[in-house]
Amino acid sequence: MIQAKQELLAALGTVLQGLSQEAVAAGTIAAAPVAAFENPKQASHGDFACTAAMQLSKALKKNPRELAQTLIAQLQAQPAFERWVDALEIAGPGFINIRLKPAAKQAVVGEVFADTTRFGHQPARDTSVLVEFVSANPTGPLHVGHARQAALGDSLCHLFATQGWKVSREFYYNDAGVQIGTLAASTQARLKGFKPGDDGWPESAYNGDYIQDIADAFLRKETVKADDREFTASGDIADIDSIRQFAVAYLRHEQDLDLQAFGLRFDNYFLESSLYTGGQVEDAVARMVANGKTYEDGGALWLRSTEYGDDKDRVMRKSDGTYTYFVPDVAYHVNKFKRGFSKCINIQGTDHHGTIARVRGGLQATGVGIPEGFPDYVLHKMVTVMKGGEEVKISKRAGSYVTLRDLIEWTSRDAVRFFLISRKADTEFIFDVDLALKANDENPVFYVQYAHARICSVLRKGAAEKGHDEASLAGADLSLLTAPTEFALMLKLADYPRMLASAAQDLAPHDVAFYLRDLSGALHSYYGAERVLGDDPALTRARLALLAATRQVVRNALAVLGVSAPDAMERDSQEQQ
């Protein structure tokens, strides 16, 4: 069906070019409409819908329904429409509903068999994308907000890989500054025997039990190794520099364990301190000053960020000589651009919304050729964790928040990944631990994974009881697949490549989770309506082939989300066909 759709779009494009030729020449429109199909909201309206007649009616000064009739006449003369289309119908103000021939829909099964794990993928392109996410300062365990970033970022990386991009994952963190100083002071206070609530305990200190763990390891003079550093403790409780470096390395190691539990890897760890030691912050500031994009007032250096859409100018360098936090961000993104990344995406909490305009403005002010709108942002809202009907706010290990590892230990990696990607990033999300543990259709990740397991079970039975091993299914007679639920399932399979491309373009990995639920629903409906392992060997073989193709697409889509595809699962209530 993918081939059929491509041929139909090409034919539509040819017809639109011809119809638009006079209007383009007269300057009424700049170009012919892009050939495109929409999915009708109701299956009874057809398989595809075309709105080109309504788009062109004003420019051609024709009634849209009359123009639709002209379009239909010309489309019916195209070989692709003769081959793949059963009927073209006008609806409403000028929609053209397209009904495909059965062979067009049935072809998708063979296309999935041919491409297997690469079904829906685009050819490799010579473009790179850098996705920066999690980016937690090494001051404590990763919390549920970082978990949502991890799910979003990793899924986006997989999405862009399906579209042929070269993808790099980057973790950026602040290894200096006030928070790191607080971490060192908190650890030193523990080393001196103080604990939260004591008179000598620093007011701004971190209170989690993990601080005591760091202190104990420091006294043992342990060596800790993280993905980006290794450090051995001096054991001297007066050596604040050693305490600081050890605490950072210890927590980086802990964060690595969190990321490993989540099944996440990064290609690069970037230190904010390197922007200062390498002179990149000073260079960025000097460029903005030289370009006349700054001014001094009240002893501070200001960026004329209102020139770039910000609501007010922003302080870059305070009167005490220190830089505000968005300045190293500007230097960091100049660094990304100079490393050759034509597209960069940042996954951050919605509390960073205010920094977007000033960072993008600062990048324009440097004059190094960075395009407007660089970088892209995906901002996410907070996650509320519910357990036993009550909100969970505190983790003993962290002291004041639920951690990523808490969620994984309470449920599973699959549940955490799927749940946190199952809503739009800009919506608040309630993570219901009890729901994530249910083995029934109420649990969305179970619902999807069970679709895969159910197919595996039927295919095993088909091989054992009917003699249809999976290797033979590619030669099935697909023309026998004519039931309405079969057509619905095949159309959903055929929509997978379009969905992937759209989700990547819109930075919307939640679309993959939505698609998986819809595809699983179509599979479960089909399973309930038709007898797969029937008495007709040819029909059984064709239906097993359709199930095998569906399993492959479910598996492919779950892989985009980093979720496993189990071959067998137990339900709270067993179902058998």
Side-chain angles (χ1 to χ4, degrees):
M1 185 175 173
I2 309 305
Q3 178 186 347
K5 186 176 181 180
Q6 291 172 344
E7 291 181 9
L8 292 172
L9 285 171
L12 174 60
T14 299
V15 170
L16 292 177
Q17 287 286 347
L19 283 175
S20 307
Q21 190 172 0
E22 290 185 10
V24 172
T28 309
I29 56 174
V34 175
F37 294 140
E38 297 181 1
N39 295 325
K41 294 182 179 180
Q42 297 182 30
S44 60
H45 291 171
D47 303 309
F48 295 143
C50 176
T51 62
M54 292 182 288
Q55 297 177 50
L56 275 173
S57 61
K58 185 176 180 180
L60 299 183
K61 298 179 181 180
K62 291 185 178 181
N63 178 281
R65 286 183 65 90
E66 292 178 2
L67 186 55
Q69 189 59 59
T70 301
L71 260 174
I72 286 176
Q74 295 190 24
L75 289 173
Q76 287 174 331
Q78 294 287 319
F81 276 75
E82 290 181 10
R83 179 183 182 188
W84 299 115
V85 174
D86 196 31
L88 294 167
E89 303 164 353
I90 301 174
F95 290 99
I96 298 176
N97 290 333
I98 303 169
R99 299 185 187 278
L100 299 175
K101 291 180 179 178
K105 305 172 190 178
Q106 295 154 353
V108 71
V109 176
E111 290 167 339
V112 175
F113 281 179
D115 293 342
T116 60
T117 58
R118 294 205 47 91
F119 179 70
H121 287 219
Q122 299 301 313
R125 60 175 83 185
D126 191 26
T127 48
S128 300
V129 58
L130 176 66
V131 184
E132 181 223 322
F133 58 111
V134 180
S135 293
N137 292 335
T139 54
L142 300 180
H143 54 63
V144 292
H146 297 130
R148 194 170 195 184
Q149 284 193 28
L152 287 166
D154 199 39
S155 297
L156 269 177
C157 288
H158 289 307
L159 261 179
F160 273 92
T162 70
Q163 301 307 296
W165 289 74
K166 300 173 184 176
V167 180
S168 291
R169 296 164 164 83
E170 187 152 290
F171 188 116
Y172 171 87
Y173 64 89
N174 181 337
D175 58 335
V178 175
Q179 290 181 319
I180 301 301
T182 301
L183 172 65
S186 303
T187 305
Q188 189 176 51
R190 288 278 194 174
L191 287 165
K192 292 179 178 180
F194 295 107
K195 61 182 183 298
D198 291 349
D199 289 340
W201 185 252
E203 184 177 349
S204 61
Y206 298 121
N207 297 325
D209 287 353
Y210 68 93
I211 299 296
Q212 185 63 58
D213 295 338
I214 298 171
D216 294 341
F218 182 83
L219 286 175
R220 292 192 295 267
K221 299 182 181 180
E222 290 186 3
T223 297
V224 288
K225 184 176 182 180
D227 282 349
D228 66 313
R229 62 181 60 211
E230 181 177 335
F231 190 80
T232 301
S234 68
D236 181 359
I237 65 174
D239 188 351
I240 191 66
D241 184 63
S242 179
I243 293 171
R244 177 183 59 79
Q245 293 191 61
F246 180 78
V248 168
Y250 185 98
L251 287 173
R252 279 292 307 111
H253 171 71
E254 286 293 304
Q255 289 178 350
D256 287 343
L257 295 178
D258 291 337
L259 297 172
Q260 290 167 18
F262 201 68
L264 191 60
R265 66 170 180 82
F266 284 91
D267 300 303
N268 188 43
Y269 289 84
F270 196 101
L271 280 64
E272 182 185 10
S273 61
S274 69
L275 297 170
Y276 291 94
T277 58
Q280 295 174 75
V281 172
E282 290 292 342
D283 180 69
V285 172
R287 287 178 178 276
M288 288 184 269
V289 172
N291 291 333
K293 302 300 181 181
T294 65
Y295 61 92
E296 293 197 23
D297 184 43
L301 181 67
W302 296 69
L303 173 67
R304 301 182 189 276
S305 52
T306 50
E307 293 185 12
Y308 303 100
D310 203 357
D311 58 344
K312 61 181 179 180
D313 291 343
R314 304 290 176 173
V315 173
M316 294 174 54
R317 187 175 58 228
K318 294 181 284 188
S319 58
D320 63 3
T322 61
Y323 290 110
T324 54
Y325 64 90
F326 87 90
V327 176
D329 279 355
V330 172
Y332 176 38
H333 286 89
V334 170
N335 177 282
K336 289 181 180 181
F337 183 72
K338 288 185 175 181
R339 276 187 275 158
F341 292 104
S342 59
K343 188 175 186 67
C344 291
I345 304 169
N346 296 346
I347 318 291
Q348 297 176 325
T350 51
D351 56 328
H352 288 80
H353 182 271
T355 68
I356 295 177
R358 68 197 73 163
V359 169
R360 286 176 173 170
L363 291 172
Q364 294 301 302
T366 61
V368 296
I370 295 177
E372 293 184 18
F374 181 98
D376 292 309
Y377 288 85
V378 175
L379 302 182
H380 69 88
K381 288 191 176 180
M382 296 303 295
V383 178
T384 300
V385 179
M386 301 292 291
K387 189 178 183 182
E390 297 181 353
E391 182 179 350
V392 184
K393 294 184 177 180
I394 297 177
S395 163
K396 181 179 179 182
R397 188 163 67 98
S400 60
Y401 53 82
V402 177
T403 70
L404 167 59
R405 231 182 299 175
D406 287 333
L407 285 186
I408 294 174
E409 290 170 0
W410 293 341
T411 58
S412 67
R413 177 198 296 180
D414 284 346
V416 175
R417 277 182 170 269
F418 194 96
F419 271 52
L420 292 179
I421 210 70
S422 63
R423 295 287 187 277
K424 293 182 179 181
D426 61 358
T427 60
E428 293 185 2
F429 181 71
I430 296 176
F431 190 105
D432 189 332
V433 173
D434 300 322
L435 176 61
L437 293 173
K438 287 186 176 181
N440 59 35
D441 292 348
E442 294 179 47
N443 179 350
V445 66
F446 181 90
Y447 184 70
V448 171
Q449 288 181 317
Y450 187 69
H452 184 273
R454 168 175 268 176
I455 294 172
C456 290
S457 175
V458 176
L459 290 173
R460 287 193 295 268
K461 288 181 181 178
E465 299 175 7
K466 301 293 183 178
H468 296 293
D469 63 280
E470 291 189 37
S472 70
L473 298 182
D477 182 2
L478 302 177
S479 68
L480 299 174
L481 301 174
T482 57
T485 52
E486 289 169 337
F487 285 142
L489 184 53
M490 289 184 283
L491 283 169
K492 183 55 66 174
L493 295 178
D495 194 42
Y496 181 66
R498 179 212 60 80
M499 180 279 298
L500 283 181
S502 175
Q505 181 178 338
D506 297 340
L507 307 182
H510 61 272
D511 283 348
V512 182
F514 291 176
Y515 173 85
L516 273 166
R517 291 202 294 268
D518 289 345
L519 177 60
S520 299
L523 178 278
H524 293 313
S525 295
Y526 171 54
Y527 184 85
E530 306 298 334
R531 186 181 179 192
V532 176
L533 303 179
D535 297 328
D536 183 335
L539 180 58
T540 294
R541 190 180 181 199
R543 287 180 169 171
L544 288 172
L546 174 56
L547 288 186
T550 303
R551 180 183 63 176
Q552 184 66 64
V553 176
V554 171
R555 187 180 294 170
N556 291 357
L558 283 171
V560 172
L561 303 185
V563 176
S564 70
D567 291 345
M569 297 177 71
E570 294 293 329
R571 295 180 61 92
D572 289 338
S573 58
Q574 294 296 322
E575 295 181 11
Q576 295 182 353
Q577 182 171 346

